[in-house]
Amino acid sequence: MELGGWGVLIAVLGGAARVSVPYLFVSLGETLTERSGRVNLGLEGTLVLGAMSGYGVAYLSGSPWLGVLVAGSAGALLGLVHGLVCSLPRVNDVAVGIALFLLGTGLAFYLGKPFIQPTAPRLPHLELGAWSASPAVRAALEINALFIAGALLAPLLAWALFNTRWGLVLRTAGDNADAARALGYSVSAIRTASTTAGGFLAGVGGSFLSLYYPGTWNEGLSSGQGLMAIALVIFARWHPVHCFWVSLLFGGATALGPALQSIGITGHYYLLNAAPYVLTLILLILSSSPRQVLVGAPSELTISR
Amino acid sequence: MRLGAWAETAVITAAALVSSLALFGVFVALRGLSPVQVYLTLFQGAFGTRFSLEHTLTQAAPLMLTALCTALPARAGLLVIGGEGALVIGGVVTVLVGVSLAGAPPVLAIAAMCAAGALGGGLWIGAAGALRHWRGVNETISTLLLNYIAIALMNHLVTGPIRDFAQVLKPASWSVGESLMIGVLPGTSIHWGLAFGVAACLVTWVLMRHTTFGFGVDILGGNARAARMVGLPIGAMILATTMLGGAAAGLAGAVEVIAVHGFASASLAVGYGYTGILVAFLARQNPLAVVAVAVLLGGISASGGLLQRRFGLPDAATLVLQGLLFVAVLAANTLAGRFRIFRPRTV
């Protein structure tokens, strides 16, 4: 059955649900980190290290979920390093992020060499499209378990950030470090904990890349999704639920190139693949302002000042 | 100046180097290798023989230029990490100009190609500077995105509009031709790009150290509010530093084309831009120190092959070492100003 233009639409929607997962997890993690007043630009490295370690462990243990857990832990470890190094006086968190981007990628490539060939078990998914005879529809409606987890996590995080004591303390550290200190909290400890948690989520996002889509480990696996997710947080105004919607938008933009290719529009392949980067840049330009600080931006954040 | 400040920088950087080397030593020891052996091999692969030294200096040439792309805007307080993209754009523009100037006198054509490459890179990063000044767009994120856009643009061009179908192994652009390639330094196998890199660093040093412009940029980088109060042209300075930095990286792309490849292809984007960021930070944004640090890191990259052959270490081992170096150098920032002995005695 030929679906033509509808096929593109279905593929983009299905692709959005598939491709958005890494964006979603990284941006949720970065939202936590930035709400506490720090920026971690190293999440691209975290994503790649998560993808490698998750794949390696899933292959060696046979359990994809153990892989997800280890990927998250590896990410948390990188986040912890970032948090601790940035707690030292006079250390710039943006620069440390770039350093960890390099280190995380290097570690993943170094340790991941043996896992390029073998095949690890994949994460499970729900077949919501089983009713349809069209393979395109069925493929589009494959909903992965991590997508569902992320979709549930976004409102949960929003609730926790804005309605719990824990969330209030975290946001106070990000908006006014002196006030947090006056209340008797350690700002460094709060930020280190948020960066560690953010690293955990980014690592989980990485495991999705290697364990589900595209579903194998290789060195070209992530093409900047971790970095784009950081720009996405600005566009989502540091709100977890907005992160969910913006991730879907980015997922759709990323899926556009392959979708058009599947109906035979193969020209401009590389330009179409650049669509999400261009989209990010345009959104960044539109959502930035030369004069005032962005609405919703934590005021202690180095990157928005 | 400021012998104390120099000594302090040197001591702190050395401390960072030693601690990251120790960390990497633990790392290879976990693999059952002797750290001493690995370091000896690394040194041998980087500086041990005439051949390896020439290889190191060849690797260092583009690193000097891409490091300036981060170091120059950093003097004005901007964190630009778009050297990779500016290099790629510079390379592509160089090819376009070179191909269209076929038949022109080589000296003129080469000068035009270098100028075009620098201009391309300059406009590329300058755009991020302009967005920063007029729209408040964070330059770190915008230049990162521009890296990916530049590489996509290059891939698009070399697989379609400017593809040379005679190149069968990988998609590559038309070739600029043998007559428009620059040769090697007399008596060596190091191409002229090294001279370009050293010259650019010297010029930048003079600019920053001995001109009013450089002085103003340092004020802006030190305290933006003070710069605004004394009426410095902040917008012009942001534009100038980003454009000059981008021009340096664009020139690196031009050099890669006219000295190494002869055409544009994916082999332009092999990470010189990212290593350049590290060089800039290790050199603490000082153009003269960039020359030395670029040679050091060029050596680490150049020795990767030997480490791989002798110990079976993956080629990413040098990437791990670079990452550890980077983290250690940034963490060592916290030591700046802590040691009383480096301070000049005041009354």
Side-chain angles (χ1 to χ4, degrees), chain A residues 46-305:
Chain A
T46 311
L47 193 76
V48 178
L49 188 64
M52 188 286 296
S53 55
Y55 194 77
V57 168
Y59 167 70
L60 294 173
S61 71
S63 159
W65 290 109
L66 192 63
V68 172
L69 188 69
V70 169
S73 311
L77 201 64
L78 274 189
L80 182 66
V81 171
H82 185 281
L84 291 177
V85 172
C86 292
S87 297
L88 300 168
R90 263 194 301 263
V91 174
N92 178 310
D93 54 353
V94 176
V96 172
I98 300 166
L100 285 177
F101 166 26
L102 207 66
L103 181 62
T105 318
L107 281 175
F109 290 0
Y110 180 92
L111 300 170
K113 273 275 180 285
F115 300 116
I116 290 182
Q117 274 306 323
T119 312
R122 297 178 89 205
L123 285 168
H125 60 259
L126 288 178
E127 300 259 8
L128 293 185
W131 48 269
S132 168
S134 153
V137 173
R138 276 210 304 275
L141 289 177
E142 263 182 31
I143 301 298
N144 182 265
L146 273 185
F147 176 78
I148 298 167
L152 294 175
L153 187 61
L156 183 72
L157 267 183
W159 173 80
L161 264 181
F162 300 113
N163 296 292
T164 65
R165 180 191 180 82
W166 167 84
L168 182 64
V169 169
L170 192 146
R171 286 188 296 128
T172 309
D175 272 327
N176 191 334
D178 288 334
R181 264 182 224 112
L183 290 171
Y185 291 102
S186 158
V187 173
S188 308
I190 296 168
R191 292 183 178 165
T192 304
S194 328
T195 315
T196 309
F200 182 88
L201 290 180
V204 169
S207 71
F208 178 87
L209 283 175
S210 58
L211 290 173
Y212 188 72
Y213 183 82
T216 53
W217 160 249
N218 66 68
E219 295 182 354
L221 185 72
S222 164
S223 43
Q225 280 111 318
L227 294 165
M228 281 190 277
I230 294 162
L232 187 157
V233 173
I234 300 175
F235 186 60
R237 291 279 181 266
W238 295 269
H239 194 295
V241 173
H242 298 179
C243 284
F244 175 73
W245 296 114
V246 183
S247 298
L248 276 182
L249 178 69
F250 273 55
T254 312
L256 186 63
L260 285 177
Q261 216 182 5
S262 69
I263 60 161
I265 300 177
T266 51
H268 309 299
Y269 168 78
Y270 287 103
L271 287 188
L272 281 170
N273 279 354
Y277 310 108
V278 177
L279 178 72
T280 313
L281 192 58
I282 291 173
L283 290 179
L284 204 59
I285 293 168
L286 292 179
S287 61
S288 296
S289 156
R291 297 258 169 263
Q292 79 258 22
V293 172
L294 303 175
V295 184
S299 34
E300 298 273 340
L301 212 57
T302 42
I303 208 159
S304 61
R305 269 189 293 197

Side-chain angles (χ1 to χ4, degrees), chain B residues 94-114 175-183 254-255 257-263:
Chain B
T94 303
V95 168
L96 293 178
V97 170
V99 170
S100 58
L101 285 183
V107 178
L108 284 181
I110 288 172
M113 287 157 78
C114 290
S175 185
V176 297
E178 208 52 47
S179 65
L180 296 187
M181 302 277 290
I182 55 173
V255 165
V257 166
I258 59 177
V260 184
H261 303 294
F263 48 81

